[in-house]
Amino acid sequence: MRIGELAAATGLSRDTLRFYEERGLLAARRRANGYRDYPPEAAEWLCYLRSAQALGFTLAEIEAGMPLLADPANAGPELRAALERKLGDIDARIAGLAQLRAALARKVEDLGADCPLRAAAR
């Protein structure tokens, strides 16, 4: 499958496909005429990659998890563990944001002063 066909099949731009290829996330053979030739499973892989990104995984995390795709039928436990780690990361960020929100709410309550931030500097 040529790059234009893969772009049309996935809704991704050719530049995005080239970027993924440069990062090692996507492999293509070169034809004799220099055109990229992607395997049929490339579209499925890109769907997986975009889904993982939508769930908050970074490209580095996806790169580290790529061995999961070598044997998708047996990747379930490893994928579950990766998803559970991501849930833990999100829970930690939510807790940190809740603390930040509480601190900001206290400052809003202290608006009697000209500058509520000045009291913190003392």
Side-chain angles (χ1 to χ4, degrees), residues 3 18 21 27-38:
I3 193 167
R18 288 184 194 106
E21 190 176 346
R29 295 178 309 203
R30 291 290 184 155
R31 292 180 172 182
N33 60 7
Y35 289 173
R36 290 172 169 86
D37 185 29
Y38 295 96

Side-chain angles (χ1 to χ4, degrees), residues 2-122:
R2 292 193 350 210
I3 193 167
E5 296 167 323
L6 186 58
T10 60
L12 299 171
S13 71
R14 293 170 190 218
D15 287 340
T16 299
L17 297 175
R18 288 184 194 106
F19 173 74
Y20 288 154
E21 190 176 346
E22 287 173 20
R23 294 273 314 238
L25 290 165
L26 183 62
R29 295 178 309 203
R30 291 290 184 155
R31 292 180 172 182
N33 60 7
Y35 289 173
R36 290 172 169 86
D37 185 29
Y38 295 96
E41 62 271 10
E44 184 179 354
W45 158 243
L46 289 166
C47 231
Y48 167 82
L49 187 147
R50 298 302 280 188
S51 294
Q53 284 184 302
L55 290 172
F57 287 89
T58 65
L59 287 180
E61 290 169 328
I62 295 167
E63 288 168 347
M66 278 183 66
L68 295 176
L69 296 179
D71 187 13
N74 296 315
E78 291 180 62
L79 186 55
R80 178 184 272 301
L83 292 170
E84 287 173 350
R85 282 191 303 274
K86 182 54 73 177
L87 275 174
D89 293 347
I90 290 169
D91 287 341
R93 288 183 8 209
I94 289 171
L97 288 171
Q99 291 175 348
L100 178 59
R101 187 193 185 290
L104 286 171
R106 285 191 300 274
K107 287 297 177 188
V108 168
E109 290 174 6
D110 293 341
L111 281 178
D114 290 339
C115 177
L117 297 179
R118 190 170 288 154
R122 291 181 193 159

